[in-house]
């Protein structure tokens, strides 16, 4: 059974940086496409970034493009989200997701079969 455990969240001032990690276990990590989603209080789930199995294809929500970078280390079974120039509107619970059904799932949440519990990111102004 696939397990996803996020870490790296916390409280940061606007303009600061955080790096989130999502540790994958239970299956062969390199056969899973990955993504990060977020959900702020009172709002719906929002796509943040996605990455293909091999890491060669990535995509970002317009709201984070140029500030966030998704990457993966298939030797460490981990996907990362480097977040720079953080804004108060980035405050949310960030969750990673995984799927083996396609090489690259993009921002289609229905394609992701496995989800982590989330890590909270709070950006103060």
């Amino acid at each position: 059974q696939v397990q996803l455990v996020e870490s790296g969240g916390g409280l940061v001032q606007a303009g600061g940086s955080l790096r989130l990690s999502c540790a994958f276990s239970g299956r062969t990590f390199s056969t899973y496409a990955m993504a990060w989603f977020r959900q702020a209080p009172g709002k719906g789930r929002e796509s943040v970034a996605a990455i293909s199995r091999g890491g060669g294809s990535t995509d970002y929500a317009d709201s984070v493009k140029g500030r966030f970078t998704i990457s993966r280390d298939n030797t460490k079974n981990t996907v990362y989200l480097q977040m720079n120039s953080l804004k108060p509107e980035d405050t949310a619970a960030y969750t990673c997701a995984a799927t083996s059904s396609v090489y690259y799932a993009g921002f289609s949440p229905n394609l992701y079969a496995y989800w982590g519990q989330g890590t909270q990111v709070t950006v103060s102004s």
Side-chain angles (χ1 to χ4, degrees):
Q1 183 72 2
V2 170
Q3 289 190 322
L4 303 172
V5 179
E6 302 94 338
S7 61
L11 174 64
V12 63
Q13 288 188 332
S17 298
L18 283 174
R19 188 176 82 155
L20 305 183
S21 299
C22 173
F24 176 103
S25 64
R27 291 290 186 273
T28 303
F29 180 58
S30 61
T31 65
Y32 283 75
M34 304 293 294
W36 287 95
F37 294 83
R38 69 185 182 185
Q39 187 165 16
K43 296 187 177 181
R45 185 171 55 202
E46 178 186 14
S47 305
V48 177
I51 191 166
S52 61
R53 292 173 180 170
S57 297
T58 59
D59 202 2
Y60 299 90
D62 288 342
S63 59
V64 307
K65 203 168 290 184
R67 300 187 298 122
F68 291 11
T69 303
I70 189 171
S71 62
R72 63 189 296 159
D73 186 338
N74 285 352
T75 66
K76 296 182 178 180
N77 294 349
T78 302
V79 62
Y80 303 98
L81 185 67
Q82 178 66 44
M83 306 186 295
N84 298 329
S85 302
L86 282 161
K87 305 175 181 179
E89 51 263 44
D90 294 319
T91 295
Y94 285 71
T95 304
C96 65
T99 181
S100 63
S101 63
V102 293
Y103 180 80
Y104 176 67
F107 293 150
S108 302
N110 291 340
L111 292 179
Y112 291 93
Y114 302 99
W115 296 77
Q117 293 298 309
T119 185
Q120 178 66 36
V121 172
T122 303
V123 184
S124 63
S125 57

